[in-house]
Amino acid sequence: MSTTPTEVLAFPNIKAIISDNGTAEVIVAGNSRLVPAGQTLQDLRDNALALVVAEARTLQRPVRVGIEDPEGHGELIVHPGGNVESVSYEPRSGRRRTAAPAGTPAAAAAEVTDTTPAPRPAVKPEPAQPVVERRPWPPLVGETALAEAVAPAAEAPQQAVATDAPVTRRSLKETSFLVSAPVLEPATQGWRGTLTRLGLRMDPSEEELSEREDIRTVSQHWPGPRTIAVVNRKGGANKTPTVVMLSAILARYSGAATVAWDNNESQGTLGWRTEKGAHDRSVLDLIDSSTELLSPSTNAAEIAKFVHHQTADKFDVLRSDENEEGDHEVTAEEVDIAHQVLTRYYRLVIMDSGNTARAANWRRMIDHTNQLVVPVTAIEDRAEAARLTLQTLESRGGHDAELARNAVVIVSESTDAKRSMTGDALKRAKAEAQRIADGFEPFVRAVVRIPYDPALVNGPIRYEALQPATQRAWLAAAAAVAKGF
């Protein structure tokens, strides 16, 4: 019996052996898994096959199994779903099984796919004890398998197959050699990582696996640009630190061109909390040069004249107008122009905002937003302002309401006030942050808590300056945001 091309893809290091003494074992890469003794031959086969299916599911690929039992030996291929795709089997000379007693169902044989059937001689029935020739390893009960029942020879004598029967071959378009199981990288953190570095390979902990999944989430490239709006109608709610941290994490991990845009009506603070470039240009200068920047002949590097690059965190900042007179408020039309320019040069646009939800530039920002983020510190009035912001958007219906329902709320423990807190005061601050987080959870898509970190209080904000626990919390926040893309 010839084998199919699929067999070359199968995992080879599995053997299933059933001995004459009524025991069975499945050997995977040298490790033996025993099947309980004291069962019928067919039960031993079923239980051994169940172990093979479990291994196929673990590997997420077909496995090739060398089989050996008192009646013969050969090979079969088992898929993760339990399907038996191909089998070759040679009975031992002189070994046949009698028909099952009345009331016992006959064992089913796995169908052979993409093989050339070999001639089988007709079997002369014996009136007293009809002979039943069976193949081993029937499909599991409840599994989807390709199978055919072999009727007793006395009822349907088998005819020899002509030697010139056509050979069925699988199309080369329907198969591939590029089939591999997912690889689990060893642990790198904690004592598991220490043992791995000492030569004892350890699997990662649940915490490390969760962090890897968050990193995978923020490392994607999404088709088309994405705009994030960070909003809260109350000042001091942590909007600007949130913009900086989301920009830093998404830029670092995804490698996508990322810009943080201070969309304040007049003079915002994003420029104060980030690095300044070698120029003083702001969003108004970018708008004035929009015709040139949108020209097909302008190269991508020209945008550097208007933004301020963050050398460590790898994103750019578009500052708000820093005119001390504050005599210009950005209009809705200017927001449209600036957004059109930025989405030509950047894949991710993260917008800081002012405190007036009625302002024209605030409302137009919402029109361009794909994902809403609402930061709040663990102080009642700032939490209430966040609630009112979401309520206002929800009441408008349509796109605004959908943004509110799909929002991510980021609850940070108190910032400057926290520095003087000790003991019970710290516990109360944490409890208040949890109470606020629990209050938002039923109304938005995700709520993430951020611990207090002195690096977020004053001066320029840099990701590397944060404590490890704060970095991990902001990574989780960025992953929650990215899931909305």
Side-chain angles (χ1 to χ4, degrees):
M1 180 175 287
S2 62
T3 60
T4 68
T6 306
E7 265 188 282
V8 301
L9 306 179
F11 188 79
N13 297 332
I14 297 182
K15 293 182 181 179
I17 301 173
I18 299 178
S19 304
D20 282 313
N21 62 3
T23 63
E25 62 179 340
V26 174
I27 302 172
V28 180
N31 297 317
S32 176
R33 302 179 185 179
L34 299 179
V35 175
Q39 305 178 61
T40 66
L41 177 61
Q42 195 56 56
D43 289 337
L44 291 171
R45 289 171 173 166
D46 288 345
N47 291 333
L49 182 57
L51 292 176
V52 175
V53 171
E55 189 66 24
R57 286 173 176 163
T58 299
L59 296 171
Q60 284 297 300
R61 61 179 295 182
V63 296
R64 187 176 63 200
V65 187
I67 58 175
E68 182 174 345
D69 67 21
E71 293 193 357
H73 61 88
E75 290 184 333
L76 57 83
I77 292 177
V78 177
H79 288 257
N83 300 47
V84 180
E85 182 181 356
S86 179
V87 62
S88 62
Y89 184 67
E90 295 181 13
R92 299 186 190 280
S93 58
R95 299 299 294 264
R96 290 185 181 275
R97 298 180 65 194
T98 58
T104 303
E111 180 179 341
V112 180
T113 306
D114 300 326
T115 60
T116 304
R120 286 194 277 183
V123 179
K124 182 179 180 180
E126 297 178 9
Q129 292 185 335
V131 175
V132 178
E133 185 167 1
R134 302 186 183 185
R135 293 179 183 176
W137 313 97
L140 291 173
V141 176
E143 298 285 354
T144 303
L146 301 174
E148 61 178 3
V150 180
E155 297 178 11
Q158 297 178 350
Q159 301 296 325
V161 180
T163 56
D164 59 348
V167 177
T168 302
R169 299 291 186 190
R170 175 168 298 184
S171 169
L172 288 174
K173 293 182 179 180
E174 298 174 358
T175 188
S176 172
F177 295 97
L178 301 178
V179 178
S180 60
V183 176
L184 179 64
E185 297 293 335
T188 61
Q189 300 177 4
W191 65 266
R192 294 169 180 260
T194 300
L195 291 176
T196 296
R197 288 187 288 273
L198 292 175
L200 300 174
R201 180 187 174 102
M202 300 291 292
D203 288 340
S205 64
E206 290 297 326
E207 291 79 6
E208 185 171 354
L209 287 174
S210 175
E211 181 174 342
R212 291 181 185 183
E213 178 59 22
D214 284 348
I215 290 174
R216 188 198 67 79
T217 300
V218 299
S219 299
Q220 305 299 312
H221 275 194
W222 299 272
R226 295 291 187 273
T227 299
I228 302 166
V230 179
V231 301
N232 189 321
R233 286 159 48 175
K234 182 70 175 177
N238 237 31
K239 291 193 294 291
T240 297
T242 297
V243 170
V244 174
M245 294 315 304
L246 293 180
S247 300
I249 291 170
L250 290 169
R252 278 168 164 263
Y253 285 106
S254 73
T258 303
V259 62
W261 170 10
D262 194 345
N263 185 42
N264 201 288
E265 301 89 76
S266 54
Q267 187 176 25
T269 60
L270 182 60
W272 301 351
R273 306 301 306 273
T274 53
E275 295 178 62
K276 184 181 182 299
H279 59 81
D280 295 315
R281 295 185 180 92
S282 70
V283 63
L284 296 184
D285 299 293
L286 179 137
I287 293 168
D288 291 341
S289 302
S290 60
T291 301
E292 175 189 351
L293 290 170
L294 291 173
S295 170
S297 62
T298 303
N299 62 58
E302 293 299 312
I303 195 67
K305 296 177 181 178
F306 304 92
V307 294
H308 302 260
H309 185 62
Q310 307 303 295
T311 54
D313 289 328
K314 310 306 179 187
F315 67 95
D316 293 342
V317 172
L318 179 62
R319 293 185 167 198
S320 61
D321 175 28
E322 297 184 355
N323 179 5
E324 294 181 358
E325 299 296 331
D327 55 0
H328 180 88
E329 289 190 3
V330 177
T331 66
E333 292 74 17
E334 289 173 331
V335 171
D336 289 339
I337 294 170
H339 189 266
Q340 184 180 8
V341 172
L342 293 179
T343 52
R344 175 179 175 181
Y345 291 90
Y346 297 94
R347 299 183 63 153
L348 296 174
V349 179
I350 304 174
M351 300 179 70
D352 202 349
S353 62
N355 302 329
T356 307
R358 297 176 182 177
N361 69 310
W362 199 99
R363 299 192 66 157
R364 188 54 59 87
M365 170 188 67
I366 295 298
D367 294 339
H368 291 292
T369 297
N370 302 110
Q371 176 63 57
L372 191 73
V373 176
V374 182
V376 57
T377 54
I379 299 175
E380 286 184 355
D381 62 344
R382 292 163 193 176
E384 183 65 9
R387 184 190 68 80
L388 291 172
T389 303
L390 289 169
Q391 180 183 323
T392 298
L393 291 170
E394 190 171 28
S395 67
R396 293 175 181 172
H399 174 68
D400 292 13
E402 183 61 28
L403 286 176
R405 288 189 291 268
N406 196 48
V408 174
V409 172
I410 300 178
V411 182
S412 298
E413 295 177 7
S414 300
T415 52
D416 52 340
K418 183 75 176 291
R419 288 179 292 178
S420 60
M421 291 184 183
T422 58
D424 291 341
L426 287 174
K427 293 180 180 179
R428 287 194 296 271
K430 289 182 179 293
E432 181 67 3
Q434 186 61 56
R435 182 182 74 84
I436 291 172
D438 292 342
F440 279 107
E441 190 169 1
F443 306 104
V444 296
R445 180 170 60 81
V447 180
V448 183
R449 283 186 56 188
I450 306 294
Y452 168 76
D453 195 310
L456 294 172
V457 175
N458 291 312
I461 302 171
R462 292 182 178 84
Y463 177 78
E464 290 296 345
L466 302 181
Q467 298 170 358
T470 314
Q471 291 181 354
R472 178 67 187 95
W474 278 110
L475 173 61
V481 171
K483 288 176 182 177
F485 293 162

